[in-house]
Amino acid sequence: MTGTRWLAEYAWLPDHTEPTADVLIDTADGRITAVTPLAAGSDPPAGVEVLGEAVRLPGLTLPGLANAHSHAFHRALRGRTHGGRGDFWTWRDRMYAVAQRLDPDSYLALARAVYAEMALAGITCVGEFHYLHHNPDGTPYADPNAMGAALVEAAAHAGIRITLLDTCYLTATVDGQPLAGPQRRFGDGDALRWAERVDAFRPADEHARVGAAIHSVRAVPAGQLAAVAGWADRRDAPLHVHLSEQPAENDACRALHGRTPARLLADHGVLGPATTAVHATHLTGADLALLADAGSGVCLCPTTERDLADGIGPARRMADVGLPLSLGSDSHAVIDLFEEARAMELDERLRTRRRGHFSPVELRDAATTGGHAALGWRDAGRIAVGARADLVTVRLDGPRTAGVPAVGVWFAAGAADVTHVVVDGRTVVRDGRHLSVDVPAELASAIAEVTS
Ligand SMILES: [Zn+2]
């Protein structure tokens, strides 16, 4: 691969509280090889020449955004769960109905379109929390990892990286009721059989890695938590878990186990530096300390938590005890990491009736380095020499962003303002168009296939 020279009107460099004007960024073989700020009005420094050959990136160029929590098939539910007002069960019934309809071919088509929508939004890496493993009756496909393979292939088509967080999902309730109806295809029987299946899945593709997930303390019995954590540990893989998304989960866990879900996870060796707790909305102070002591992180999914009426996670308290934060669009009620990032701040304002909780750099880091680290890609999410060549350019001359200073994008821009996306040195989106996927057309046909 030959190198490319980019000239960003503004670029947001690590350790800078604000974007820098006029930055040359050289990339080669999928990596950033040089970052050269051109002081305003000065000539390029020695060794920097052929400015005319640089690809100009008007607007603000950010590092790649990471969507650390996704269930790709939930995208088919967008706008379909609010009829008759729509309660939580309306949403869950619709979700299960779509889950019933998918097979490896239709899931490839749907996920390819969803991941391409993510690319258009500036997302260069997705963490797919994947539990739709088997045939609808629970029997394995001829290739027991056919659904996971479809997701990995979908990410390749869309031009983004994926961490497939293969999810252990065994029971319907905290007290161990068996999976029934639409849930049957989620289960592997027990954690050892889950591990055996996942162990056999080793995609060679450079854009993919495999991690583990525990669906929740509701869906994995306490006695089997350590087996999943042990697998992740042996493979040095990320481990994600839905944690305390709703108070009912806390109540059921306390009733059966006499402790909170976070305490239960800690007692079974699930919390560690590679662990990311997803949501973590209803935590006690002691729960926060457990996560902090273990070095675990939290993935907030504010637009989904809003859509499902889960509540507001204690984001500032998490940051204050040192938990690394990341962001996910989860149910894809919207796919917009700018919206997720500003919700970190704006939801705290609603809760506290006070402004000023997070700096723009903290929002940037949750959407970029934080997410990539949670997904096991520690060499991504920064515009710095040696990092993966992910560049996301946001226009500053559109109807939402005109007149906005570059530092203000987290409170002004949205996914529709992303004009240019480079992933591992390859241009995936140019002038707001995905170069290989007709996103609206493919979303429409893939969703019609599973909802009609
Ligand atoms: Zn989720």
Side-chain angles (χ1 to χ4, degrees), residues 247-298:
E249 175 191 324
N250 287 1
D251 296 345
C253 186
R254 279 182 199 275
L256 185 71
H257 299 294
R259 64 199 89 178
T260 64
R263 178 87 250 171
L264 188 70
L265 295 179
D267 290 348
H268 290 272
V270 173
L271 301 184
T275 306
T276 296
V278 180
H279 304 301
T281 308
H282 302 284
L283 295 188
T284 66
D287 291 340
L288 282 171
L290 283 173
L291 290 167
D293 289 347
S296 301
V298 170

Side-chain angles (χ1 to χ4, degrees), residues 359-426:
S359 71
V361 165
E362 289 176 302
L363 304 185
R364 178 199 70 182
D365 288 350
T368 56
T369 39
H372 281 105
L375 298 175
W377 305 87
R378 292 189 178 274
D379 55 353
R382 288 172 304 121
I383 300 177
V385 173
R388 288 175 174 272
D390 291 1
L391 302 173
V392 172
T393 304
V394 184
R395 66 188 299 185
L396 295 173
D397 61 354
R400 287 162 294 274
T401 53
V404 172
V407 70
V409 291
W410 296 108
F411 291 94
D417 299 305
V418 172
T419 52
H420 206 95
V421 180
V422 175
V423 185
D424 287 330
R426 288 187 315 273

Side-chain angles (χ1 to χ4, degrees), residues 69 71 129 242 278-279 330:
H69 190 67
H71 308 282
F129 198 102
H242 288 135
V278 180
H279 304 301
D330 188 2

Side-chain angles (χ1 to χ4, degrees), residues 69-71 74 129 131 215 242 245 278-279 301 304 330-331:
H69 190 67
S70 160
H71 308 282
H74 291 192
F129 198 102
Y131 53 80
H215 180 276
H242 288 135
E245 180 175 1
V278 180
H279 304 301
C301 306
T304 293
D330 188 2
S331 69

